[in-house]
Amino acid sequence: MRCAPQILGAFQEALWHVEQVVTRELNASTDNPLIFPDTGMVIHCGNFYGQQISMVSDYLRIGLIKMALLADRQLERLVNWRYSRGLPPLLAGDAPGLNSGFAGAQLLATSLAAEARLLGTAASIQSIPTNANNQDVVSMGFTAAKMTRAVLPLLWKLVAIEAMAVAQAADLHARKGVMGGDYRKLYEIVRSVSAPLQSDRPLADEIRQVMELLQSEAAQQQCLAPDASS
């Protein structure tokens, strides 16, 4: 918990760097050869080689995976009664044991975190010759970007589960003295589509709805808006 700012800060810096590199590459000349009509010069080059995109895609993906692992560990602190400071086992709304609370949701979250971690291998070093060895080294940029895109829905679903658990924890504490302004905004977003969990019920549809809502621009603007109570 105490190292979350360092993880989030490192990810923010990684995101800034990725944005800078991608913006530069989108505006770069990637043709081969480069032809300059004014001088009649033709320069054969390797500007088509997408190593920059490949490497920053790996960098971004590692950051996303680290975020997923952080969310998974924070969720563990909420559902584990040994560390949750008075919350019922597995955030069960009614009698623990008769109700499994967030046990199933945490199993899904753990699976998502493991799947994300499996995508952590760097694609940018997986060069393999092709084109009759004419392309003897390749950047694997497309593969790196595709793998990064594959991590995103895993992370969003995991964050949705954590957000639902955070809202459940607030309700179990009767919302007294546990919610600051930002906490309250997240709580209201979750509760707009997902009711408190009392007796066990299927959560798959609610996880999907929370995930979609958290990705919406409206919800993100709500979370970023200044706290009216401050």
Side-chain angles (χ1 to χ4, degrees), residues 65 82 85 91 174 198 210:
I65 294 168
R82 301 175 183 87
R85 298 187 177 184
L91 299 178
Q198 296 299 324
V210 172

Side-chain angles (χ1 to χ4, degrees), residues 13-52:
E13 290 187 350
L15 193 59
W16 285 333
H17 176 66
V18 171
E19 182 181 20
Q20 180 184 49
V21 172
V22 170
T23 300
R24 184 182 67 228
E25 290 303 303
L26 285 172
N27 290 280
S29 296
T30 57
D31 294 330
N32 177 47
L34 293 177
I35 300 174
F36 300 88
D38 293 343
T39 62
M41 184 178 296
V42 177
I43 300 178
H44 290 276
C45 59
N47 288 344
F48 56 87
Y49 195 83
Q51 190 66 64
Q52 293 90 342

Side-chain angles (χ1 to χ4, degrees), residues 50-59 123-125 139-141 144:
Q51 190 66 64
Q52 293 90 342
I53 295 296
S54 181
M55 291 182 70
V56 296
S57 292
D58 283 342
Y59 189 18
S124 55
I125 62 171
S139 70
M140 305 297 290

